[in-house]
Amino acid sequence: MRLSDEQVRDYRDNGVLLVESAFDAAEVEALREAFRRDSRIGGEQRILEDDGSEVRAIYSSHRRQSEFAALVSASRVLGPVRQLLAGDVYLYQFKINSKPPFTGGHWAWHQDYLAWKIADGLPSPRLINVGVYLDEATEFNGPVIFIPGSHRNGLVRDRRRDEIRSRQHLDPDDISLTPDQLRSLVAGHGMASPKGPAGSVLFFDSQIVHGSAPNMSPFPRKLLIATYNDVGNLPRGEPRPEYLICRDTAPLRVEDKPLVTLGGGPS
Ligand code: HL5
Ligand code: SIN
Ligand code: MN
């Protein structure tokens, strides 16, 4: 898949671009089933909401479920990433934020690159996030809200506010922007929450300001996020655990393996 010139321009201007229904219903169901399988596996990669009852996020599912391993190199995901970053990339991080019905919690306003600069010593923001909607994103189920164009101002904060919620990963609560910073950014740029059917794909910049509200609806909102880094931009810090930061930095090649006929299990 190649993005049109207009889509590329949109991405550069806004820092975010939605491609609706890139994956079909059968593919989405295969990915959901792989998520169900993966959420039964305990370990540090599985992060629970504060009350311990529900899964908040799961990292590195691509290492345990073959559907996700296939997704990482799929042309519909990797094609645009290579086009937008203009060079070789590898997978930096893979996560699924699950935000279940009624209980799914918020994700504080933040910029991803600040987390990776602080926690991993990542030299530059040359990364792209690819969100894959595992459920429809509506105004009701806590979709991600972006401040379009905010990626062009660079980092708004330069350090952590807190170290409260960040044992297994760096939770955005600990690097969140202040109300004053948000007031002025939103006054200049407004807000947008790209809604779309399950199977839609969302490209977003590592410096765009984003966050999301709790899910009060009876509907789930699972969002898969694969983050790709430029192979020339390797982290320099003490590496965090492998479930957070991938160790294989070899350039990825586009490879389209079917997502639906794969039967799960490690690849
Ligand atoms: N939880 C991620 C990490 O690397 C960082 C956040 O949305 C990405 C800010 O620990
Ligand atoms: C969310 O899942 O709503 C937050 C996504 C992100 O921080 O990248
Ligand atoms: Mn984020």
Side-chain angles (χ1 to χ4, degrees):
M1 186 171 93
R2 264 194 88 73
L3 300 175
S4 68
D5 291 349
E6 194 189 336
Q7 285 174 310
V8 171
R9 218 172 310 121
D10 258 21
Y11 180 81
R12 302 261 182 255
D13 288 351
N14 296 320
V16 54
L17 175 78
L18 181 71
V19 177
E20 283 195 23
S21 305
F23 292 92
D24 68 25
E27 290 173 315
V28 168
E29 189 41 45
L31 296 172
R32 286 182 186 157
E33 175 52 33
F35 175 78
R36 282 192 284 273
R37 230 183 282 130
D38 206 45
S39 41
R40 292 195 287 268
I41 301 174
E44 292 282 293
Q45 82 286 347
R46 192 177 65 180
I47 291 150
L48 304 179
E49 292 288 356
D50 289 342
D51 68 1
S53 62
E54 301 271 4
V55 173
R56 175 165 172 79
I58 299 182
Y59 282 82
S60 68
S61 303
H62 68 294
R63 298 180 61 198
R64 296 175 299 275
Q65 309 299 336
S66 52
E67 291 86 345
F68 296 128
L71 185 76
V72 165
S73 304
S75 57
R76 284 166 282 177
V77 169
L78 186 56
V81 168
R82 288 182 48 88
Q83 194 183 347
L84 293 169
L85 271 183
D88 282 334
V89 300
Y90 72 96
L91 184 71
Y92 186 72
Q93 181 172 87
F94 186 104
K95 60 177 176 273
I96 297 167
N97 292 343
S98 71
K99 208 178 263 197
F102 302 114
T103 56
H106 78 285
W107 293 87
W109 289 108
H110 67 282
Q111 292 173 292
D112 290 347
Y113 176 55
L114 178 59
W116 298 325
K117 187 177 167 204
I118 294 172
D120 308 317
L122 199 66
S124 122
R126 290 204 304 276
L127 312 100
I128 293 192
N129 289 304
V130 183
V132 179
Y133 292 5
L134 299 186
D135 296 301
E136 183 183 8
T138 70
E139 68 265 51
F140 304 117
N141 64 355
V144 184
I145 305 173
F146 294 93
I147 303 184
S150 57
H151 63 301
R152 287 190 262 116
N153 304 347
L155 288 181
V156 181
R157 299 191 60 84
D158 60 359
R159 64 180 80 90
R160 273 188 186 185
R161 300 156 53 79
D162 263 316
E163 298 210 24
I164 295 168
R165 289 195 83 187
S166 296
R167 192 181 65 78
Q168 288 162 272
H169 71 154
L170 204 165
D171 195 285
D173 270 350
D174 290 351
I175 52 168
S176 63
L177 274 65
T178 65
D180 278 345
Q181 289 167 334
L182 287 157
R183 225 173 266 123
S184 104
L185 280 165
V186 172
H189 299 277
M191 295 185 277
S193 64
K195 288 167 275 283
S200 298
V201 175
L202 181 75
F203 299 91
F204 64 100
D205 191 278
S206 72
Q207 294 201 102
I208 194 169
V209 176
H210 60 288
S212 66
N215 183 6
M216 297 169 71
S217 82
F219 308 110
R221 194 236 60 176
K222 289 181 288 303
L223 175 64
L224 179 162
I225 300 177
T227 303
Y228 297 82
N229 188 19
D230 185 321
V231 292
N233 187 39
L234 300 185
R236 296 199 180 134
E238 180 68 27
R240 286 192 295 164
E242 198 170 356
Y243 66 85
L244 291 173
I245 300 302
C246 303
R247 297 296 194 267
D248 183 357
T249 64
L252 288 168
R253 297 288 161 229
V254 168
E255 195 185 345
D256 280 311
K257 292 191 211 134
L259 302 182
V260 267
T261 56
L262 293 165
S267 54

